[in-house]
């Protein structure tokens, strides 16, 4: 799986790697063209919640978006109807870095109208 993730070491070292997949056809069948977007959003929201749950349990995680989707699908035995969109290695972290400084809210939010 680490090879499919372009050699990212954290995938090789993690005792558990969750793979999040989207099912575009199912969502498109229900919601039309926007369903494809909803399928992607559902998979990424699930990954985010898993990452938050891992943190609450004292586990470390790292969102992985750079990988070969065909290789990942083959490794996990996913049917062709499902497409991997994120990998989430989980484990006990080797380090606990200090929080990084965040950009000011004013640089991220537009308070006016378009």
């Amino acid at each position: 799986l680490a090879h499919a993730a372009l050699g990212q070491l954290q995938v090789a070292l993690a005792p558990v790697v969750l793979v999040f997949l989207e099912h575009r056809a199912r969502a498109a069948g229900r919601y039309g063209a926007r369903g494809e977007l909803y399928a992607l959003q559902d998979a990424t929201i699930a990954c985010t919640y898993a990452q938050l749950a891992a943190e609450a349990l004292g586990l470390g995680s790292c969102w992985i978006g750079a990988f070969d989707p065909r290789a990942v699908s083959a490794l996990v035995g996913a049917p062709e109807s499902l497409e991997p969109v994120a990998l989430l290695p989980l484990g006990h972290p080797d380090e606990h870095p200090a929080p990084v400084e965040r950009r000011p809210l004013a640089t991220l939010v537009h308070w006016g109208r378009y």
Side-chain angles (χ1 to χ4, degrees), residues 69-91:
R70 289 184 183 190
V72 169
S73 289
L75 286 165
V76 301
E80 287 187 27
S81 58
L82 302 179
E83 171 110 10
V85 296
L87 308 179
L88 190 66
L90 300 174

Side-chain angles (χ1 to χ4, degrees), residues 13-35:
L13 296 175
V16 174
V17 179
L18 303 179
V19 178
F20 294 85
L21 303 115
E22 66 178 344
H23 195 312
R24 290 183 193 170
R26 181 176 61 193
R30 184 167 184 183
Y31 300 107
R34 281 202 61 86

Side-chain angles (χ1 to χ4, degrees), residues 51-113:
Q51 195 167 32
L52 290 170
E55 175 68 23
L57 294 171
L59 298 174
S61 64
C62 179
W63 184 297
I64 304 290
F67 56 85
D68 177 345
R70 289 184 183 190
V72 169
S73 289
L75 286 165
V76 301
E80 287 187 27
S81 58
L82 302 179
E83 171 110 10
V85 296
L87 308 179
L88 190 66
L90 300 174
H92 294 282
D94 288 338
E95 58 186 45
H96 296 277
V100 297
E101 187 173 324
R102 301 294 180 187
R103 295 189 332 212
L105 187 61
T107 66
L108 301 171
V109 176
H110 175 76
W111 298 101
R113 293 179 59 182

